[in-house]
Amino acid sequence: METIANKVVVITGASKGLGRELALAFAKQGACLALCARNEELLLKVKTEAEKLGAIVLAVAGDLS
């Protein structure tokens, strides 16, 4: 089985719900994260949580619709 460590994972809708949970799960596995969401305040909270788990995180607030 291939490891996710040091792979880049892109997640949209990362500020809450399933996107948030996926971001934190991938962070625990050592992935590098590129996160996007409309709510910048919530997104930055997820970024901080993921970084505390050891992930490298790029967070960009924006609407991809």
Side-chain angles (χ1 to χ4, degrees):
M1 188 163 107
E2 188 174 337
T3 179
I4 196 76
N6 299 316
K7 302 285 182 169
V8 177
V9 177
V10 178
I11 301 174
T12 62
S15 63
K16 55 187 175 180
L18 185 59
R20 178 185 177 279
E21 295 304 316
L22 286 170
L24 297 178
F26 282 121
K28 288 177 187 174
Q29 295 180 41
C32 299
L33 305 174
L35 307 177
C36 181
R38 291 177 292 179
N39 187 315
E40 184 174 23
E41 182 179 342
L42 292 177
L43 180 63
L44 293 177
K45 287 181 182 180
V46 174
K47 178 182 190 280
T48 299
E49 288 180 67
E51 288 175 334
K52 286 180 182 176
L53 295 170
I56 297 170
V57 183
L58 168 66
V60 179
D63 188 344
L64 297 180
S65 63

